[in-house]
Amino acid sequence: MENKRKYLFITVIALFIVSFYTINLRFDPFYRVNGINNDNRMIIEKYLSKEEQKYLVENRIPLYHFMKYIKYDDFYLPYYQYYELLEKTGRYSTNTSILQTGNELATKLTGIYKGASYDLAKKLVEHDLEAGYLYNQNFDFDKLQIYYEIRPLYEDYSYVDDTEYYIELLKNRGLTDKMILSFFKQACANYSRYGLTTLMTQANNPDMFLIPDPSALLTTLSDQTYIGAYVPHNLVLMSDIHRLKYAMYLNNDAYDALKKMIDAMPDEIANDFYVKEAYTSFTDLQYSNPNLAGKDERQLGHTVSIASKSIAYQEFETSALSQWLEAHSYEYGFILRYPKRMASSTNHVYDAHYYRYVGKKNANKIYKENSCIEEYNQKEAAE
């Protein structure tokens, strides 16, 4: 008898709970919505359509996700996640622009990709690609990885058309899809938009090798290689060094090494030293010697032309400064760029003035092997 009473009691309690829950759902559809109260209940009923209210209840969306937008005419609750994506970027200055773009993005994506639309939206918004997708009909999701690389170079969505054109050029050069992606990753990390544009002007020339990463210490340039309007990222203004003019720049590591090398020189040699040439821009080369623009190693920021204050430029080879540099520059990461009897490798006649920073390890090997960058690169590639 006691057990029957217990079972009866439990059954009554269960029926009460079910009945209470059912009544609440029937008379208060927002019962399970997180953050609901009498004030915002009235706002929800005023501004959300019956369809949106049903969506709210079924998906139990916490109110903090959308209440800031609810009074706008363009607000549509099922798209609230798209609004949040856009808001978090900080790229949109008004709620109106967030709603407008969010609606366009959600409508276009859901119309084509259905259930995958939100995941695609996250990829687009994370990499600032939503405008390109919405307003350029040539946008192609198959090129998404390349868009990730090239988009930061642009202030508009013309990157879509440029990507299409550049891919075509690279495919015509025989590059595979994997090679093309690698090219973009390197080039977009090293070039500005203008630099990349100038680089690709030679893509139709099968005899010209395009260098996507000119920043490597052992990069060499010639008539058959091209870097367009490349500008090194870490150029610094030279100071505390005797030089031909005030505004002269050099790669930061090369500049630090050059100062250490000068400090190590005997005083009479250091006092005779000055830099005649250093980094030279694409624009300056176009003006002074157009044939060298994009093909001259001075543009890399690792090369200096050194001269003597006391001896004529043409006689520099005979100076104590020149002899000290040939004997000790490698200790500081520099090598004589165009040594004697190596014109067949460097494609450049001997020149005692030009020194190239390649780092201590590389310089030490090249010096001890009595070699040059070209021969050293060939040997390393063979090994």
Side-chain angles (χ1 to χ4, degrees):
M1 188 68 177
E2 185 66 25
N3 287 337
K4 288 183 178 180
R5 289 178 179 175
K6 288 182 178 179
Y7 289 135
L8 180 61
F9 178 76
I10 292 172
T11 301
V12 170
I13 292 298
L15 289 172
F16 173 78
I17 292 173
V18 171
S19 299
F20 181 80
Y21 177 76
T22 303
I23 291 171
N24 270 281
L25 286 181
R26 178 174 298 176
F27 295 102
D28 184 7
F30 307 121
Y31 174 68
R32 300 297 298 274
V33 176
N34 187 9
I36 196 72
N37 58 42
N38 289 332
D39 291 334
N40 54 38
R41 185 195 313 273
M42 295 175 62
I43 294 174
I44 288 171
E45 291 176 340
K46 179 178 180 180
Y47 289 100
L48 293 187
S49 66
K50 295 298 183 182
E51 174 196 352
E52 289 174 299
Q53 292 179 33
K54 180 180 179 182
Y55 183 88
L56 171 64
V57 172
E58 290 177 348
N59 292 277
R60 299 178 183 177
I61 305 168
L63 300 188
Y64 65 83
H65 282 297
F66 64 86
M67 287 301 289
K68 69 172 65 178
Y69 303 119
I70 195 170
K71 295 182 180 180
Y72 289 84
D73 291 340
D74 290 337
F75 174 72
Y76 182 51
L77 182 61
Y79 292 167
Y80 79 94
Q81 289 178 296
Y82 295 84
Y83 307 146
E84 285 189 319
L85 284 177
L86 298 172
E87 180 188 7
K88 289 176 182 178
T89 67
R91 296 193 297 266
Y92 294 83
S93 58
T94 65
N95 288 342
T96 300
S97 62
I98 289 174
L99 293 173
Q100 180 180 346
T101 303
N103 290 341
E104 291 179 11
L105 185 62
T107 300
K108 186 172 182 179
L109 283 171
T110 54
I112 302 173
Y113 299 102
K114 310 301 181 185
S117 60
Y118 182 65
D119 288 336
L120 290 175
K122 287 195 290 186
K123 293 178 180 180
L124 293 174
V125 173
E126 180 182 353
H127 294 90
D128 194 11
L129 302 176
E130 65 271 17
Y133 171 68
L134 288 173
Y135 309 126
N136 193 312
Q137 62 182 0
N138 292 323
F139 191 96
D140 185 352
F141 272 104
D142 290 337
K143 299 179 175 64
L144 212 55
Q145 294 296 323
I146 295 177
Y147 293 153
Y148 292 166
E149 305 300 328
I150 198 171
R151 175 65 182 94
L153 305 184
Y154 286 71
E155 296 182 356
D156 55 26
Y157 49 82
S158 60
Y159 68 89
V160 176
D161 295 324
D162 285 353
T163 298
E164 189 80 17
Y165 177 58
Y166 294 158
I167 289 176
E168 181 182 355
L169 291 174
L170 293 173
K171 283 186 175 180
N172 290 339
R173 293 175 68 90
L175 274 66
T176 64
D177 289 343
K178 184 176 181 180
M179 294 166 67
I180 289 174
L181 178 58
S182 176
F183 179 91
F184 273 102
K185 284 185 175 181
Q186 294 180 70
C188 294
N190 287 283
Y191 289 85
S192 65
R193 175 180 176 178
Y194 174 63
L196 182 60
T197 299
T198 57
L199 178 70
M200 298 306 292
T201 60
Q202 290 295 315
N204 273 325
N205 183 352
D207 297 324
M208 189 67 69
F209 182 77
L210 308 182
I211 300 180
D213 182 10
S215 67
L217 282 176
L218 297 174
T219 296
T220 61
L221 298 180
S222 68
D223 290 339
Q224 285 77 46
T225 57
Y226 195 63
I227 60 172
Y230 167 74
V231 177
H233 293 314
N234 52 357
L235 290 175
V236 293
L237 178 67
M238 297 171 64
S239 60
D240 303 323
I241 291 178
H242 295 295
R243 54 201 185 277
L244 183 62
K245 57 184 179 180
Y246 174 78
M248 298 183 76
Y249 298 84
L250 202 60
N251 165 275
N252 183 59
D253 291 336
Y255 174 57
D256 288 342
L258 183 63
K259 289 194 295 183
K260 291 177 182 178
M261 185 169 70
I262 296 170
D263 288 342
M265 292 176 180
D267 289 344
E268 65 275 12
I269 291 178
N271 291 333
D272 194 36
F273 171 101
Y274 80 94
V275 174
K276 188 174 186 295
E277 295 176 282
Y279 166 74
T280 307
S281 71
F282 179 80
T283 301
D284 287 343
L285 288 168
Q286 281 185 313
Y287 178 77
S288 61
N289 192 336
N291 291 330
L292 291 179
K295 305 173 185 177
D296 193 302
E297 290 187 12
R298 288 173 295 176
Q299 202 177 322
L300 299 173
H302 293 119
T303 300
V304 287
S305 172
I306 299 171
S308 166
K309 297 176 185 177
S310 61
I311 294 179
Y313 186 79
Q314 296 80 358
E315 298 174 3
F316 177 71
E317 177 187 356
T318 64
S319 68
L321 172 57
S322 177
Q323 293 170 19
W324 190 94
L325 288 170
E326 287 204 37
H328 298 285
S329 63
Y330 77 95
E331 298 169 5
Y332 305 92
F334 287 90
I335 60 165
L336 180 62
R337 181 62 185 97
Y338 305 113
K340 292 179 180 178
R341 297 180 294 278
M342 292 190 187
S344 59
S345 296
T346 64
N347 198 32
H348 197 291
V349 297
Y350 165 69
D351 194 320
H353 301 89
Y354 285 96
Y355 279 81
R356 168 76 179 270
Y357 179 75
V358 295
K360 284 186 178 181
K361 182 179 178 180
N362 293 325
N364 186 62
K365 289 183 179 180
I366 292 172
Y367 177 81
K368 291 186 175 180
E369 293 174 5
N370 193 27
S371 184
C372 61
I373 299 179
E374 286 81 3
E375 292 179 0
Y376 179 73
N377 283 341
Q378 289 177 0
K379 181 180 178 181
E380 290 292 303
E383 294 177 354

